[in-house]
Amino acid sequence: MRFSRPLIVILSLVLVLSAFSQETDKAKALENETMQHFQALLRFDTSDPPGNEKPAADYLKQVLEKEGIPVKVFALEPHRPNVVARLKGNGKKKPLLIMAHTDVVNVDATKWTHPPFGAAREGGWVYGRGTVDDKDNVVAALMTMLELKRQNVPLDRDVIFLAESGEEGSTRVGIQFMVNQHFAEIEAEFCLAEGGNVTRSGGQVKFASVQTLEKIPRAIELIARGVAGHGSVPLQTNAIVHLSAAVAAIGKWRPQIRLNDTTGAYFSRLAEISSPADAQRYRDILSLDPKKRDAADEYFLANEPRHASMIRTSVSPNIFTGGYRINLIPSEAKANLDVRTLPDENPASFLEEVKKVVNDPAIEVKFAARDVRPGGPNTRLDSEAFQVLEAAIKRHYNTVTLPTMSTGATDMAYLRAKGIQSFGIGPALDTEDGPKGFGAHSDQERILESELHRFVRFNWDVVNTLARAK
Ligand SMILES: [Zn+2]
């Protein structure tokens, strides 16, 4: 039988349209399912402390197992389990780990308009503690696992799902426990976790940040010692006077500027999307001309303190103690410095530099105890994972990717120390939302539903591209 040309055109149109409507039906169903899991997870109060991530972990386990994905649970404390699920690949490449934490920071419920664990939907937003930290990443990783399994995607590498507990301040039950006692279960070439996001302003996407590196927190203690005495007879050895001078010197000190792969790429890419005056400063900070560089640094210190911290090992004196009676000269005074070292900093030689700045034999300068998150090598910008992320950001958000080094610490530090190249990603957030009090850790938290769904599609695309058999 021969079809006339108009008939063929009409028939193909019908086929294309029905395929299209099947696609949109499927997309809608996935969005509904995403929302259902997201709301279920938000409704578990996993405030840390005390944590109690178990109900969320049980929920994830049941959803994964229902889909036929095997699950293992590892718990140092029974109410704080970590959930691991693995989809097997052919082993051509090393595994990909997709990780997110199930605990959330505490809330002051009286400050919330929508209850913090209600997962209310209103005006296109979802409200609740954890909506952007970090149950968005949990649900994106979960949906990706479910889809890989349903579509029976052949894999060149295992995809490992880890929902870890204790990220918000009790990593010993979460990532530390997994790395120290069950590393074989999560060992991977690449890891995707929280720590990045896409920045929107005025409803427009401006740029995407992918965290590729982080600074290492350390603590330095200054102890000034002098002679105790009567307050009516001032002494030159007064410990408080000595310590004050030392802290003031530290405050004025600007540790040397040093850039790395990540911060170098960050500033040069940021320059490309900034106003001319800002762009000039971002280029100047990369300049070899110390005059230009110091002027840009000066501006950062006053106006963009996060950028000033990104270009050096930073020191912030945050505790100052000494004295207990108005009429008594104390024999001792102490200050604690919050130090965030560049990942390649040599701690011992940095301590020597601090001693030189203090320059006072009456003051002991030493490292103090701190839960030091280990450092790791620079996550490579020329790695397959970074390139896949960059291309997917272009496809889904049509914007530039800025690799970032966070000044704070994340759970990825433990993985980087083990050689896992780790990347922090996240959904699009409105810059206007932070000041309104809707950001991570604020007294209210929310995410745009449309951005949650876009993030899930992005997550799926990245994992599918990195793991699917070629
Ligand atoms: Zn988090």
Side-chain angles (χ1 to χ4, degrees):
M1 186 166 53
R2 287 191 55 177
F3 292 112
S4 69
R5 183 164 291 172
L7 192 60
I8 291 175
V9 170
I10 287 167
L11 275 174
S12 8
L13 211 69
V14 165
L15 277 174
V16 166
L17 280 175
S18 93
F20 180 73
S21 91
Q22 273 173 23
E23 274 300 301
T24 48
D25 283 354
K26 198 189 158 226
K28 261 271 142 291
L30 272 180
E31 290 190 356
N32 289 340
E33 190 185 0
T34 299
M35 190 52 66
Q36 182 202 321
H37 294 318
F38 191 51
Q39 286 184 298
L41 289 164
L42 290 171
R43 285 175 182 142
F44 298 118
D45 178 353
T46 53
S47 301
D48 184 5
N52 192 29
E53 295 90 342
K54 188 162 190 310
D58 287 346
Y59 180 85
L60 292 169
K61 179 174 189 290
Q62 161 250 314
V63 171
L64 288 158
E65 282 179 344
K66 200 172 144 219
E67 207 66 39
I69 302 171
V71 172
K72 290 184 186 175
V73 174
F74 302 94
L76 181 64
E77 291 173 7
H79 288 285
R80 314 209 61 182
N82 301 279
V83 179
V84 177
R86 180 186 295 255
L87 290 169
K88 294 290 286 176
N90 60 26
K92 249 191 211 164
K93 295 177 178 174
K94 281 188 70 183
L96 167 64
L97 174 65
I98 49 180
M99 172 173 98
H101 62 90
T102 49
D103 61 327
V104 294
V105 283
N106 296 100
V107 297
D108 176 354
T110 60
K111 303 233 168 92
W112 290 64
T113 313
H114 300 87
F117 302 103
R121 293 170 71 180
E122 197 188 290
W125 301 84
V126 188
Y127 290 81
R129 177 58 93 222
T131 45
V132 294
D133 181 16
D134 183 33
K135 288 172 177 172
D136 50 338
N137 276 286
V138 176
V139 86
L142 174 68
M143 291 308 294
T144 296
M145 291 297 280
L146 299 180
E147 272 301 292
L148 286 173
K149 176 72 176 158
R150 280 173 197 158
Q151 297 185 23
N152 203 13
V153 175
L155 301 171
D156 270 345
R157 55 170 106 231
D158 292 4
V159 177
I160 308 167
F161 169 92
L162 168 61
E164 95 270 33
S165 59
E167 193 276 342
E168 303 286 0
S170 34
T171 53
R172 88 198 153 73
V173 301
I175 194 67
Q176 285 199 57
F177 171 63
M178 291 308 297
V179 165
N180 294 336
Q181 300 200 34
H182 301 286
F183 187 60
E185 300 289 343
I186 57 168
E187 187 169 8
E189 179 176 12
F190 301 122
C191 168
L192 303 176
E194 67 174 342
N197 71 279
V198 175
T199 296
R200 290 189 359 152
S201 175
Q204 298 293 312
V205 167
K206 297 295 176 192
F207 58 88
S209 308
V210 172
Q211 199 249 59
T212 54
L213 199 59
E214 60 193 81
K215 295 178 90 176
I216 305 165
R218 292 181 190 277
I220 289 180
E221 193 171 41
L222 309 183
I223 307 169
R225 294 192 179 90
V227 180
H230 199 286
S232 64
V233 184
L235 296 173
Q236 287 190 334
T237 52
N238 185 317
I240 288 180
V241 172
H242 279 256
L243 188 66
S244 308
V247 168
I250 294 284
K252 288 203 191 93
W253 180 41
R254 293 183 198 168
Q256 195 200 343
I257 295 173
R258 211 164 72 238
L259 290 124
N260 52 46
D261 258 17
T262 289
T263 50
Y266 171 82
F267 284 111
S268 65
R269 290 181 186 198
L270 189 58
E272 284 164 30
I273 54 168
S274 297
S275 71
D278 287 339
Q280 193 53 52
R281 277 187 291 271
Y282 300 143
R283 293 193 181 103
D284 285 351
I285 207 70
L286 302 171
S287 160
L288 295 175
D289 176 353
K291 255 197 178 150
K292 285 184 178 175
R293 215 178 50 177
D294 291 350
D297 184 25
E298 195 78 45
Y299 183 89
F300 287 174
L301 286 160
N303 303 290
E304 297 175 12
R306 200 174 61 86
H307 283 153
S309 175
M310 276 172 64
I311 56 177
R312 57 165 53 88
T313 290
S314 66
V315 185
S316 180
N318 293 349
I319 307 177
F320 193 108
T321 47
Y324 55 97
R325 268 189 77 111
I326 185 64
N327 61 355
L328 195 151
I329 299 170
S331 59
E332 200 174 279
K334 277 186 197 170
N336 296 76
L337 313 179
D338 182 354
V339 178
R340 306 297 175 120
T341 66
L342 291 171
D344 62 349
E345 188 73 73
N346 178 329
S349 48
F350 187 76
L351 190 67
E352 289 309 309
E353 285 186 60
V354 175
K355 284 180 186 167
K356 269 190 212 134
V357 174
V358 169
N359 190 28
D360 184 342
I363 298 179
E364 184 187 356
V365 180
K366 61 175 188 183
F367 279 116
R370 185 167 196 174
D371 195 0
V372 174
R373 304 209 193 200
N378 216 340
T379 295
R380 298 183 61 99
L381 303 186
D382 62 359
S383 64
E384 184 189 0
F386 188 77
Q387 286 168 4
V388 165
L389 281 164
E390 214 178 349
I393 283 166
K394 192 96 198 119
R395 276 197 295 283
H396 294 265
Y397 296 95
N398 191 27
T399 196
V400 61
T401 301
L402 303 181
T404 59
M405 175 179 73
S406 68
T407 52
T410 77
D411 275 4
M412 286 186 285
Y414 295 97
L415 301 173
R416 292 201 178 109
K418 288 285 208 173
I420 301 179
Q421 295 208 49
S422 304
F423 302 86
I425 57 172
L429 307 175
D430 289 315
T431 47
E432 297 85 356
D433 240 25
K436 283 187 210 156
F438 286 114
H441 295 217
S442 308
D443 281 336
Q444 296 221 73
E445 200 177 321
R446 68 179 183 182
I447 190 170
L448 267 176
E449 292 189 11
S450 55
E451 290 302 344
L452 174 72
H453 296 310
R454 172 148 65 162
F455 181 56
V456 171
R457 294 193 296 273
F458 165 76
N459 204 285
W460 153 259
D461 189 4
V462 170
V463 174
N464 185 46
T465 310
L466 269 174
R468 181 185 281 271
K470 300 268 162 18

